[in-house]
Amino acid sequence: MPPEPQTANPILSESQIADLKLAASKMSGSTRRAFQADMSRKYCAGNARQTERCFGWGREGVQLGLEEQRSGMVCVGAQAAYCGQKRWEETQPEAAAALLALAEAHSQQDPTFRSSIAYTRLTAAEAIRQLQAMGFSGGQVPAPSTMARILNRNGYRLRKVEKAKPQKKNSRNRRHLRQYPGQRWAVCRWAVKRLSMDCKATVNIGDYSRGGKTRGDNKAADHEMGCKEKYIPFGVLDEDSGQVYLTFGSSSKTSDFIVDSLCRVWEQMPSADKDACQCIQIKADNGPESSGIRTQFLKRMVEFANHTGKTVHLLYYPPYHSKYNPIERCWGILEQHWNGTQLKDAETLLEWAKTMTWKGINPMVEFSRKVYEKGVTLSKKAMEAVEARLERNAALPKWDILIRPVFG
């Protein structure tokens, strides 16, 4: 009598064979056939009949998987090839080409160049509207939810376009900031103390989520209605040393609050830096409390120049360009630092601000409880004396102002 056919592989135990059979049962189609062919080559010398006896798989499927590996061609069944709904790009190629051209015109490459993702400002609703304006009918244009998936699938993610960051060292920009008609003043580069100042948006105190995530206490209010305690952050960045000075005021954001905070910052600076500089160059945005036409602010800045005994040079950024102000990047670091934290009281606010770092340096933080009055202005007669102290650039009278100190 012929010997009984071998039903198991002596190399593998029963539990190992059961594991391989279980793994194959989780697969389907060409993936399953490729796995069975690999196991056949490894344990059964590529013999389909022996593989069937060992693992219980159909030898026709194992043989087909071996042939697919040999030829490099994968067999696709009629159901897999023709069933299912095709993608919109395949059914509407002309509309798809128009959409991709439209998205490319509104896209921006990843600013970090670390990925191939393009950030686009084109929303799904706007894409549908523009495709319809090109003449594509309703049947050719998908629904908004489908349109969003199509844009994401083709690598166009809906993100806010990142603000362009200015270069840290740009000789052309520095020359532009130091060019003045008639060479009104000349001072060595080492004698200028460069400061950048600005106020941040008001910070609400309470159990608010602030739009962040935390692993600790995650019970927070989902809105900020009824908030009674608020603080106004004012910051000054010493561009030469990288030191940040933060002042949190409990009153109003006024010209007096800004200049008072600036005076305290000047007092905190090292004596060597104050003695070495001849001019204080202050970069600011053209906000309503510190603009080049705000009478109370200009009056206080004249007093600040007299108090310090230094020439004060005010440089304002044009409208919609305050993002180039260096202190704005410090606000972004602070917001990321305490994002997700529940700022329940002033002490928590100050402690989190103290632990922030900018260029490896912790900021110097102060708290101001002084009450400031809003709407303080100067009369035209009083402003004439202040205006006499201002040396305005003829080309940029509102954005380039020089104030010389008067002694005695």
Side-chain angles (χ1 to χ4, degrees), residues 86-97 99-100 140 142 146-147 149-155:
K86 293 185 179 180
R87 289 186 172 183
W88 177 79
E89 296 94 318
E90 299 176 5
T91 59
Q92 303 293 336
E94 295 182 0
L99 174 64
L100 296 182
Q140 296 176 294
T146 306
M147 178 63 74
R149 289 197 299 271
I150 293 171
L151 289 172
N152 292 340
R153 186 165 62 220
N154 287 274

Side-chain angles (χ1 to χ4, degrees), residues 139-190:
Q140 296 176 294
V141 180
S145 58
T146 306
M147 178 63 74
R149 289 197 299 271
I150 293 171
L151 289 172
N152 292 340
R153 186 165 62 220
N154 287 274
Y156 296 97
R157 301 296 178 89
L158 183 62
R159 301 283 181 86
K160 292 182 179 179
V161 177
E162 184 172 323
K163 294 181 178 180
K165 295 182 180 179
Q167 297 181 2
K168 293 183 179 179
K169 295 182 180 180
N170 190 323
S171 58
R172 180 180 179 183
N173 289 345
R174 287 201 299 267
R175 285 198 305 269
H176 175 72
L177 293 177
R178 289 198 297 268
Q179 283 177 349
Y180 307 100
Q183 296 295 328
R184 299 181 301 160
W185 63 285
V187 63
C188 297
R189 184 177 302 178
W190 59 266

Side-chain angles (χ1 to χ4, degrees), residues 54-74:
C54 179
F55 297 101
W57 299 328
R59 62 177 180 271
E60 293 83 1
V62 176
Q63 187 64 41
L64 179 57
L66 292 170
E67 292 297 329
E68 288 177 339
Q69 289 187 346
R70 183 188 61 80
S71 63
M73 300 176 62
V74 178

